[in-house]
Amino acid sequence: LVGHAGDWPVIIVPGWTFLEPAFRDELVDYALRGGCLLLVGPGPAALFTSEAVPGAIRVATPEEVPAALKAACQHLLVEVVGAVNVDVSVRRHAGRLQVHLVNTAGSHDQPEAAVETVPPVGPLRIALRLAHKPAGIFAQPEGTELGMTWENGIARVTLPHLAIYTILEIR
């Protein structure tokens, strides 16, 4: 995020108790310029106590997080529906936007147990808020183009199943 905070409509700081000072200052500037900065819990809130930016920085207690996230969801870049156990990360590679999807289904919550199988999940309905209509969205590494619809700045695709890991490449 360093140097790119302004690229995102929402930044969520989850429970952290330390931020590099220059990055913390960048987040303050981001909020002052109208970005939505959501701090979850007392740790992040303590990092911004000296700021006099009423309304620019939103602090949510753990109990308030579901409501605060629902309000922030109107700005989300990616929404995945169809499974609760899919981790999503967004990055750029070779100038292209990529959405990495990781299936975390299975017995991952058992620290002593080895994960022997990861059941596939899907179909996954994925919505991406984009500035421009993409030429296509491809599941990688297979290179399969997914059928896409485009309406009001949102591209929608369906990924039939997610075994373990897939990258959506937006072209």
Side-chain angles (χ1 to χ4, degrees):
L1 284 174
V2 174
H4 298 281
D7 296 348
W8 304 102
V10 176
I11 296 176
I12 301 171
V13 181
W16 298 334
T17 57
F18 176 80
L19 292 171
E20 291 291 337
F23 181 58
R24 181 205 152 296
D25 293 345
E26 184 176 339
L27 292 178
V28 170
D29 289 342
Y30 163 81
L32 289 171
R33 288 190 318 265
C36 178
L37 182 61
L38 176 62
L39 309 176
V40 179
L47 297 173
F48 295 89
T49 55
S50 64
E51 302 311 316
V53 285
I57 299 176
R58 170 79 170 95
V59 178
T61 66
E63 296 78 26
E64 295 175 309
V65 168
L69 286 177
K70 184 176 181 182
C73 281
Q74 65 181 331
H75 302 290
L76 284 182
L77 175 66
V78 179
E79 178 183 15
V80 177
V81 176
V84 296
N85 37 19
V86 176
D87 284 353
V88 177
S89 64
V90 178
R91 62 173 292 206
R92 289 197 183 278
H93 179 70
R96 290 194 174 140
L97 183 66
Q98 295 182 335
V99 177
H100 295 247
L101 304 170
V102 179
N103 179 355
T104 60
S107 58
H108 292 83
D109 61 347
Q110 307 291 325
E112 309 82 37
V115 176
E116 294 184 17
T117 60
V118 176
V121 296
L124 301 176
R125 293 177 311 284
I126 302 161
L128 301 117
R129 183 178 307 279
L130 302 168
H132 306 285
K133 181 180 179 181
I137 299 176
F138 295 79
Q140 300 292 4
E142 300 86 3
T144 306
E145 185 170 9
L146 302 173
M148 176 190 70
T149 62
W150 175 259
E151 185 178 345
N152 298 325
I154 298 176
R156 296 181 190 280
V157 296
T158 297
L159 185 66
H161 75 282
L162 176 61
I164 294 178
Y165 177 68
T166 295
I167 299 170
L168 299 184
E169 183 178 77
I170 293 81
R171 296 185 187 168

